[in-house]
Amino acid sequence: MAVETERFANTSNNNRMYREQIITLEDLNEFRNLLLNDIKEIIQSNPQKNKQWIKSNEVRKLLNISPGTLQNLRINGTLSYTKIGGINYYKYDDIVKMLEK
């Protein structure tokens, strides 16, 4: 797994694009799978069993995603949430189910 993540991490500092640097759909799918596996490992190693509901900032830290990515997950229905008083709350179990899909 470390060898494959290095493949995505190796980028040159100049702005030239070479034919062998073009990212294919297969590369993106492979990266997605590696990323999802890493996220699953993080969640399994740090379970927040005391909290059933998690705020947006905690979800972003847990999944290491940006506010825009979390918003996209809400908009497209990938991750359900409840809004109370202007604060979005997410069920921990829903986050785990989303990652298992």
Side-chain angles (χ1 to χ4, degrees), residues 14-71:
N14 60 22
N15 291 330
R16 292 184 184 181
M17 178 67 84
Y18 297 102
R19 188 179 338 189
E20 52 275 347
Q21 290 177 310
I22 295 175
I23 298 173
T24 64
L25 187 57
E26 182 180 317
D27 292 334
L28 289 173
N29 282 328
E30 185 179 344
F31 178 72
R32 178 183 155 270
N33 290 332
L34 289 171
L35 184 60
L36 285 174
N37 287 333
D38 288 346
I39 291 171
K40 285 179 187 177
E41 286 177 19
I42 291 169
I43 287 178
Q44 289 172 354
S45 66
N46 296 325
Q48 297 187 7
K49 295 183 180 184
N50 295 338
K51 289 188 174 183
Q52 182 180 2
W53 293 93
I54 304 173
K55 292 182 181 179
S56 292
N57 62 340
E58 295 171 308
V59 174
R60 290 194 326 263
K61 287 179 187 176
L62 182 68
L63 300 178
N64 195 25
I65 59 175
S66 69
T69 301
L70 184 56
Q71 181 179 3

